[in-house]
Amino acid sequence: MSAFASELANRQPLSQQRLLATSIPGPRSLELMSRKLGAVAAGVGTTMPVFAERAGGGIVVDVDGNQFIDLGSGIAVTTVGASAPRVVAAVQEQAAAFTHTCFMVTPYEGYVAVAEALNRVTPGRHPKRTALFNSGAEAVENAVKIARVHTGRQAVVVFDHAYHGRTNLTMAMTAKNMPYKHGFGPFASEVYRAPLSYPFRDGNRDGVLAALQAIDIIEKQVGAAHVAAVVIEPIQGEGGFIEPAGGFLPALATWCRENGAVFVADEVQTGFARTGDLFACDREGVVPDLIVTAKGIAGGLPLSAVTGRAEIMDAVHIGGLGGTYGGNPLACAAALAAIETIEAEGMVGRAREIEDLMLARLRDIQGRDSRVGDVRGRGAMIAVELVHAGTDVPDPELAKAVAAASHQQGVIVLTCGTYGNVLRLLPPLAISDALLHDGLDVLAAALAGVR
Ligand code: PLZ
């Protein structure tokens, strides 16, 4: 064992409690932040004012020894926990064997094993194939490439409030201008936007009706014969944790099947037990033609995938898909360990327990505070939409103030939403109930403290 490996083995497990050792940010974080300002491009922002040193379970420790409750999972990535034991061991072993050969040059088993695992666990029992990439955006782009070749069509339909990434094609697919698109045009063509079912704001709980409205726009403004793919997040992430009304997704999937379009589920944020199902599509039994995954797939290592019907995936000519790092061996080892962890630790069930705990606490707060317009979400993907008291007018300043106050008290919480007025809770599934309660106490106090 190397000195470093034995040091790691001897490390104390992280104590699972919130701890404020200094003011937030502490002196070492302040120093690092000033170095960041001098060295890192200004366009790369940070949510928290502190720098991380260690993380595990439901805790992130900063460089000043403060321990934060993690209600963000690095934006829904460390679902199995940061430094989950199986992931750490698998990556260490793989790093010692080889770090890279390039699958397109000298293939290796890990990539194939991840493809087999994804073909097994994603919705639908039909023959499937998988291709691996590095980021969510890259996988979304590849899903579009595959759908275009398979259909011989060009149009891509996306939805209001959608988020699909920051590359040129995915910026076009993303709805929100600031900060994602502002000044970065021109954007890719043949991307069309349809209305989304957003029960809190459109007041319509009939998902089939909402789907018919979207389909009407698709047929009238794009033309069914031109649609290569309909790409949708089953529960929207950055757009505000918007869960479409029941029936919306199945109706769209059916329309795609009847009209020769490829139905693509972007499960980059919702995948891998996050929503209390292995995939969010599972809840209504929707079987997407292609499913895009990333984030929770590999316990924090960069990996993404497109998985789908063999006849669609295999439509692309040899050499048409790839990339230097796609399916990097360390990331593949991590993914196999993360999937094993989710299955062995019963993490789908754990996500449902977290849902029950968080929804009960948040609905209680909602009952006492008319600035909480909506509490929604599934599993460990729960949102609080904040509004001006008693109205449905978004209150982004309140969301910002509550998040900042929570950060000061040692809780990592993120905001999202087209209007920036949604607090989103995305704890790792490895978090304890005690930490969740403590984190929600802090959140409740922060909300009560901002008037
Ligand atoms: N599709 C549904 O949620 C990434 C973005 C954070 P990448 N969401 C976090 C930020 O501000 O950049 C995301 C997603 C959905 C695609 C993506 C893109 O995934 O791995 O960030 O490229």
Side-chain angles (χ1 to χ4, degrees), residues 77 108 110-111 113-115 118 130-139 268 272 292-306 325-336 338-339:
V77 171
Y108 39 85
Y111 188 119
V114 170
L118 291 174
T130 287
L132 300 180
F133 305 97
N134 302 289
S135 68
E138 192 189 358
V268 166
F272 297 99
V292 180
T293 53
K295 290 188 186 282
I297 192 175
L301 273 84
L303 186 72
S304 64
V306 182
Y325 293 112
N328 167 271
L330 300 177
C332 286
L336 292 170
I339 293 169

Side-chain angles (χ1 to χ4, degrees), residues 69-403:
I69 299 178
D70 186 5
L71 301 183
S73 298
I75 321 187
V77 171
T78 52
T79 303
V80 295
S83 296
R86 286 183 184 81
V87 172
V88 173
V91 170
Q92 283 173 337
E93 195 177 316
Q94 180 59 47
F98 61 94
T99 53
H100 176 83
T101 62
C102 186
F103 190 75
M104 300 184 303
V105 177
T106 315
Y108 39 85
E109 184 178 349
Y111 188 119
V112 178
V114 170
E116 288 168 345
L118 291 174
N119 296 346
R120 172 173 67 82
V121 299
T122 51
R125 299 274 67 88
H126 49 279
K128 294 177 201 158
R129 300 287 185 271
T130 287
L132 300 180
F133 305 97
N134 302 289
S135 68
E138 192 189 358
V140 171
E141 291 229 6
N142 277 279
V144 170
K145 284 165 66 173
I146 293 162
R148 282 177 170 161
V149 169
H150 170 73
T151 57
R153 305 173 181 178
Q154 295 183 350
V156 178
V157 174
V158 292
F159 290 83
D160 285 334
H161 311 286
Y163 184 91
H164 297 292
R166 295 177 181 264
T167 59
N168 189 263
L169 174 59
T170 57
M171 270 196 295
M173 296 169 70
T174 289
K176 192 172 175 176
N177 173 57
M178 189 59 106
Y180 307 122
K181 304 168 78 161
H182 190 76
F184 296 143
F187 305 111
S189 60
E190 288 304 315
V191 175
Y192 301 90
R193 198 166 304 284
L196 179 80
S197 163
Y198 187 166
F200 174 63
R201 296 209 164 269
D202 63 23
N204 173 19
R205 304 213 163 257
D206 182 343
V208 176
L209 187 68
L212 289 176
Q213 287 161 354
I215 288 165
D216 188 54
I217 286 187
I218 297 169
E219 290 182 341
K220 296 296 181 296
Q221 298 185 11
V222 190
H226 296 296
V227 178
V230 171
V231 184
I232 188 164
E233 300 154 83
I235 300 176
Q236 280 193 340
E238 307 305 307
F241 283 22
I242 305 166
E243 183 183 1
F248 187 74
L249 295 171
L252 285 173
T254 301
W255 182 87
C256 285
R257 197 163 51 246
E258 289 171 350
N259 289 277
V262 177
F263 183 75
V264 182
D266 178 346
E267 293 233 23
V268 166
Q269 191 151 164
T270 51
F272 297 99
R274 173 58 54 189
T275 63
D277 290 285
L278 203 44
F279 296 96
C281 278
D282 291 334
R283 188 63 63 100
E284 289 188 281
V286 170
V287 177
D289 298 312
L290 301 181
I291 183 167
V292 180
T293 53
K295 290 188 186 282
I297 192 175
L301 273 84
L303 186 72
S304 64
V306 182
T307 300
R309 296 186 188 282
E311 67 275 18
I312 299 177
M313 294 294 295
D314 284 342
V316 178
H317 47 281
I318 291 176
L321 302 176
T324 305
Y325 293 112
N328 167 271
L330 300 177
C332 286
L336 292 170
I339 293 169
E340 188 190 320
T341 303
I342 289 169
E343 292 180 331
E345 313 273 327
M347 284 193 158
V348 170
R350 178 61 189 147
R352 292 199 179 207
E353 290 172 6
I354 291 173
E355 169 183 328
D356 290 344
L357 188 160
M358 292 205 294
L359 284 183
R361 292 285 316 263
L362 295 168
R363 293 212 164 116
D364 180 53
I365 297 171
Q366 184 182 23
R368 284 180 277 114
D369 193 330
S370 60
R371 297 171 302 170
V372 177
D374 196 21
V375 172
R376 58 172 177 262
R378 299 205 307 252
M381 183 171 184
I382 302 292
V384 181
E385 178 155 1
L386 297 174
V387 293
H388 289 279
T391 72
D392 64 1
V393 180
D395 193 346
E397 288 76 28
L398 178 59
K400 224 171 142 181
V402 173

